[in-house]
């Protein structure tokens, strides 16, 4: 071992870079980081090698930083623990912005460990150097610019700084950013830093964080004003289930049953109710008129998919509006007067059930359950052939009991919201920024953490956007079925009032591609069924076979939009109850 000199010297600079990186990775592991996602790069060598030495960590790699970030997002969603991301300097860092924006809205915890040039090489023409300081703005919960490692700064400062940033993440959720300046050389011999590390010698001997923060954030119990609750129970109410975690919908369903109030379940909640299809039947005047009797809105979780439900919530005059979500911050885009309750959803719903004795209006919405049944009769009549609408109406019946779901954005999630009854299963989606980027990578991360069969439904433009991430799916030890609906471009724009003369050129952007060659390139099983029966067989078989199956549903451009418009026209004038 080389003994370090008393003053800074190039001969041990690489070792000191590694020492600081090792301190950070060790402390992050003690603070709950179990997964580390790494992209290739030289400047990030100290962080990469430090992570590799910690055998307790699970390492994931990807050549594409944008996809790597979404892989980490999926891991964080499914594990509900912080996930570290290591990238090199320059535009590699900038490629993380989309996933950082998503976590800023939905609260998953990413720990961004970005490597940077030393301060003297910024803004002077040095290679692969951009302004990384504050690059993510306020999309991150906290930012720390870690200086170039030096013996002039005690190691206990570094540990305390890491602990403080991670505590901010614990309180606020979202991503945190450590921007680490590493001077060259980045590769070299080991050095004995025992004297320098003396202030943290005791920490090295145990397995606990250097600074232990304690905050009273109990999620096991919730307090509800019983008098106010009894007043609410005496009125006609409706319950909306938005983005929920795995087991919360069951408790919300129990509360709805106890109250006798209608339950409107968003696809992200991972299930359905007797009032399914509300995004469709809300276009019926009689249904809207009946729902307007509701005086109380009880909403669990934000990020609602249905535009019609959001419009109804925004326009209706509620006597009471309670929005319960564990995340801090505003979740009502209509800015209604409300009670914004930051609480564990399961605990709050359990507390409400315990206070509920009898509802005076437990049967008030039964006509809407009848409307739901008749609405699905109309859907079935229009979707009994091979089409996107037919797939959306039937695919959830082909999901095996142990299979989990990842729902893409744009057209597919809306079709499911309108036409499907989702099974009670763990369901994931990126409905913060609601972008189409990184959906395959997020799916891969979810499956790696959950280790269960998974079905992903995604559109063709979304898959093209994240095509690199198919590389993340070719080594999975559990079944994954990726169902891609290929309508040759952005079919969602057929439902929007975009200019007809520019629709194809600037909105739908037809591509003329199919995905058999992509599946072959990345070593995935592939099939392109041409009937609903064949699609059912392929999707069911894919859920029982180890590895990834890409099922491509090819439909004519514009067909889904035309079928939906026909559905809406019939529902608008139908007698549903």
């Amino acid at each position: 071992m080389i003994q370090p000199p008393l003053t800074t010297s190039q001969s041990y600079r690489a070792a000191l870079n590694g020492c600081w990186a090792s301190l950070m990775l060790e402390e992050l592991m003690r603070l709950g980081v179990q997964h580390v996602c790494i992209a290739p790069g030289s400047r990030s060598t100290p962080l990469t090698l430090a992570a590799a030495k910690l055998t307790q960590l699970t390492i994931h790699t990807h050549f594409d930083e944008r996809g790597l970030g979404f892989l980490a997002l999926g891991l964080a969603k499914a594990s509900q623990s912080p996930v570290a991301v290591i990238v090199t300097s320059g535009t590699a860092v900038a490629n993380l912005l989309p996933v950082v924006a998503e976590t800023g809205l939905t609260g998953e915890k990413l720990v961004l460990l970005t490597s940077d040039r030393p301060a003297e090489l910024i803004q002077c023409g040095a290679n692969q150097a951009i302004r990384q300081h504050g690059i993510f703005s306020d999309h991150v919960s906290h930012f720390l610019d870690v200086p170039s490692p030096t013996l002039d700064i005690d190691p206990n400062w570094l540990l305390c700084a890491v602990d403080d940033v991670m505590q901010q993440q614990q309180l606020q959720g979202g991503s945190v950013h450590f921007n680490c300046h590493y001077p060259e050389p980045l590769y070299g011999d080991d050095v004995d830093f025992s004297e320098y590390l003396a202030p943290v010698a005791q920490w090295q001997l145990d397995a606990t964080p250097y600074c232990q923060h304690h905050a009273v954030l109990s999620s096991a119990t919730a307090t509800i004003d019983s008098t106010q609750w009894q007043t609410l129970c005496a009125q006609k109410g409706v319950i909306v289930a938005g983005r929920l975690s795995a087991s919360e919908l069951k408790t919300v369903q129990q509360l709805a049953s106890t109250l006798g109030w209608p339950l409107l379940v968003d696809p992200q909640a991972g299930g359905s109710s007797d009032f399914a299809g509300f995004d469709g039947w809300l276009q019926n005047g009689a249904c809207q008129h009946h729902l307007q009797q509701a005086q109380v809105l009880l909403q669990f979780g934000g990020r609602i998919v249905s535009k019609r439900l959001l419009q109804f919530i925004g326009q209706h005059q509620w006597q009471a509006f309670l929005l319960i979500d564990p995340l801090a911050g505003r979740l009502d885009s209509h800015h209604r007067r409300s009670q914004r309750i930051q609480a564990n959803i399961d605990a709050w719903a359990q507390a409400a059930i315990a206070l509920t004795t009898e509802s005076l209006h437990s049967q008030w919405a039964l006509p809407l359950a009848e409307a739901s049944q008749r609405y699905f009769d109309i859907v079935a009549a229009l979707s009994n052939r091979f089409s996107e609408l037919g797939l959306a109406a039937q695919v959830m019946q082909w999901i095996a009991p142990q299979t989990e779901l990842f729902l893409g954005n744009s057209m597919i999630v809306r079709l499911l919201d309108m036409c499907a009854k989702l099974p009670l299963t763990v369901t994931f989606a990126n409905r913060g920024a609601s972008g189409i980027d990184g959906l395959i990578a997020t799916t891969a991360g979810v499956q790696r953490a959950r280790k269960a069969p998974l079905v992903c439904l995604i559109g063709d433009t979304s898959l093209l956007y994240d095509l690199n991430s198919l590389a993340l799916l070719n080594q999975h030890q559990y079944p994954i079925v990726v169902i891609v609906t290929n309508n040759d471009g952005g079919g969602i724009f057929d439902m929007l009032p975009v200019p007809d003369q520019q629709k194809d050129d600037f909105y739908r952007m037809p591509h003329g591609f199919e995905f058999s060659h992509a599946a072959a390139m990345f070593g995935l099983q592939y099939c392109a069924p041409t009937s609903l029966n064949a699609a059912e067989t392929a999707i069911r078989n894919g859920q029982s076979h180890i590895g990834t199956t890409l099922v491509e549903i090819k439909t004519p451009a514009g067909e889904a939009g035309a079928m939906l418009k026909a559905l809406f026209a019939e529902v608008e004038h139908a007698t549903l109850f």
Side-chain angles (χ1 to χ4, degrees):
M1 301 288 280
I2 301 172
Q3 291 294 327
L6 296 178
T7 58
T8 57
S9 168
Q10 289 292 317
S11 64
Y12 74 102
R13 176 62 72 183
L16 188 56
N17 288 341
C19 177
W20 275 42
S22 293
L23 290 169
M24 294 183 70
L25 266 299
E26 172 69 30
E27 188 70 346
L28 290 172
M29 185 184 68
R30 297 185 186 197
L31 291 166
V33 170
Q34 302 170 340
H35 298 271
V36 180
C37 298
I38 302 175
S42 180
R43 189 65 54 167
S44 52
T45 289
L47 293 164
T48 297
L49 296 183
K53 290 177 182 177
L54 292 171
T55 57
Q56 304 95 316
L57 296 174
T58 300
I59 305 295
H60 308 266
T61 61
H62 192 31
F63 49 79
D64 173 358
E65 287 88 3
R66 189 185 188 96
L68 184 82
F70 281 98
L71 173 69
L73 173 65
L75 288 162
K77 278 180 181 290
S79 67
Q80 298 188 335
S81 61
V83 175
V85 180
I86 295 173
V87 300
T88 193
S89 61
T91 56
V93 181
N95 274 299
L96 296 176
L97 179 57
V99 76
V100 174
E102 179 74 14
T103 63
L105 295 170
T106 53
E108 291 87 3
K109 298 181 177 72
L110 299 187
V111 182
L112 311 175
L113 300 170
T114 65
S115 49
D116 201 352
R117 263 51 179 170
E120 64 270 19
L121 293 182
I122 306 298
Q123 293 292 91
C124 65
N127 182 50
Q128 202 172 324
I130 67 172
R131 295 189 299 275
Q132 295 176 199
H133 188 289
I135 191 172
F136 301 122
S137 185
D138 58 3
H139 293 294
V140 292
S141 301
H142 205 81
F143 167 73
L144 179 67
D145 208 39
V146 181
S148 293
T150 171
L151 296 178
D152 293 331
I153 298 177
D154 290 336
N156 42 328
W157 170 85
L158 183 59
L159 294 177
C160 285
V162 170
D163 291 340
D164 178 62
V165 171
M166 294 300 288
Q167 174 62 7
Q168 299 307 312
Q169 182 181 65
Q170 182 65 24
L171 294 172
Q172 302 175 48
S175 295
V176 291
H177 180 198
F178 295 93
N179 191 52
C180 306
H181 295 267
Y182 294 123
E184 293 182 351
L186 301 168
Y187 313 91
D189 298 319
D190 289 334
V191 170
D192 181 5
F193 285 111
S194 55
E195 183 176 349
Y196 171 67
L197 295 172
V200 297
Q202 184 59 47
W203 169 84
Q204 290 179 297
L205 295 175
D206 60 42
T208 59
Y210 188 76
C211 296
Q212 299 186 47
H213 295 267
H214 298 281
V216 181
L217 295 172
S218 174
S219 61
T221 59
T223 302
I224 300 176
D225 185 305
S226 60
T227 302
Q228 181 198 44
W229 181 249
Q230 296 307 322
T231 301
L232 295 178
C233 291
Q235 301 177 72
K236 295 179 180 179
V238 60
I239 298 177
V240 171
R243 191 181 75 130
L244 304 182
S245 63
S247 62
E248 291 171 339
L249 181 60
K250 291 181 180 179
T251 310
V252 173
Q253 287 174 326
Q254 185 181 353
L255 175 60
S257 177
T258 303
L259 286 166
W261 289 358
L263 173 61
L264 309 182
V265 182
D266 186 90
Q268 301 166 86
S272 188
S273 76
D274 291 338
F275 302 87
F278 52 84
D279 192 66
W281 56 251
L282 269 173
Q283 297 182 82
N284 180 275
C287 291
Q288 280 223 22
H289 181 73
H290 195 87
L291 192 60
Q292 285 169 357
Q293 297 179 51
Q295 301 160 293
V296 177
L297 171 61
L298 194 58
Q299 180 177 333
F300 293 95
R303 311 292 174 190
I304 304 300
V305 169
S306 170
K307 183 178 290 187
R308 271 163 285 277
L309 178 57
L310 286 171
Q311 289 172 341
F312 179 82
I313 291 173
Q315 295 167 2
H316 188 59
Q317 297 301 312
W318 302 99
Q319 294 185 22
F321 176 13
L322 284 70
L323 201 166
I324 301 96
D325 193 288
L327 290 178
R330 296 184 294 172
L331 290 172
D332 172 27
S333 60
H334 294 284
H335 317 294
R336 304 303 303 267
R337 186 176 189 183
S338 64
Q339 294 185 47
R340 175 64 176 87
I341 302 169
Q342 185 181 359
N344 175 278
I345 287 175
D346 190 73
W348 199 95
Q350 290 282 9
I353 292 169
L355 289 174
T356 303
T357 54
E358 183 178 357
S359 174
L360 299 178
H361 302 286
S362 60
Q363 306 296 316
W364 80 269
L366 286 182
L368 296 179
E370 181 182 349
S372 173
Q373 295 180 20
R374 294 189 177 181
Y375 167 74
F376 276 104
D377 289 340
I378 296 173
V379 170
L382 291 175
S383 61
N384 58 2
R385 63 183 179 84
F386 187 74
S387 63
E388 283 185 78
L389 207 66
L391 177 76
Q394 299 189 37
V395 67
M396 290 300 147
Q397 303 170 40
W398 309 336
I399 304 301
Q402 75 276 15
T403 299
E404 300 177 351
L405 294 173
F406 186 93
L407 307 180
N409 288 325
S410 203
M411 191 67 156
I412 187 62
V413 73
R414 288 170 172 82
L415 286 172
L416 293 171
D417 197 27
M418 295 172 190
C419 304
K421 296 181 180 180
L422 272 69
L424 188 63
T425 190
V426 179
T427 303
F428 298 92
N430 287 354
R431 294 297 299 177
S434 300
I436 64 169
D437 46 347
L439 297 177
I440 291 294
T442 310
T443 297
V446 164
Q447 202 277 338
R448 290 185 186 194
R450 293 289 302 179
K451 300 186 186 305
L454 182 69
V455 167
C456 166
L457 292 104
I458 191 172
D460 51 344
T461 304
S462 299
L463 181 53
L464 284 171
Y465 203 86
D466 200 27
L467 203 62
N468 281 349
S469 295
L470 288 176
L472 297 170
L473 300 183
N474 67 356
Q475 295 180 342
H476 278 245
Q477 301 303 309
Y478 295 85
I480 299 180
V481 181
V482 177
I483 305 170
V484 55
T485 53
N486 187 350
N487 52 32
D488 195 23
I492 187 64
F493 294 107
D494 292 325
M495 303 305 301
L496 300 174
V498 300
D500 284 338
Q501 59 272 29
Q502 286 97 19
K503 182 180 289 186
D504 273 358
D505 290 342
F506 299 124
Y507 294 93
R508 293 196 78 259
M509 296 189 184
H511 49 75
F513 301 131
E514 54 92 36
F515 296 98
S516 62
H517 296 292
M521 176 180 178
F522 292 104
L524 311 181
Q525 301 172 68
Y526 172 85
C527 62
T530 56
S531 69
L532 287 175
N533 286 339
E536 177 180 2
T537 299
I539 292 167
R540 288 189 184 276
N541 288 343
Q543 294 173 72
S544 60
H545 294 161
I546 300 299
T548 300
T549 303
L550 180 61
V551 179
E552 183 172 6
I553 307 296
K554 301 177 185 178
T555 60
E559 180 189 66
M563 293 181 72
L564 282 177
K565 289 173 183 176
L567 171 64
F568 298 162
E570 184 168 349
V571 169
E572 182 180 359
H573 302 290
T575 301
L576 297 182
F577 62 86

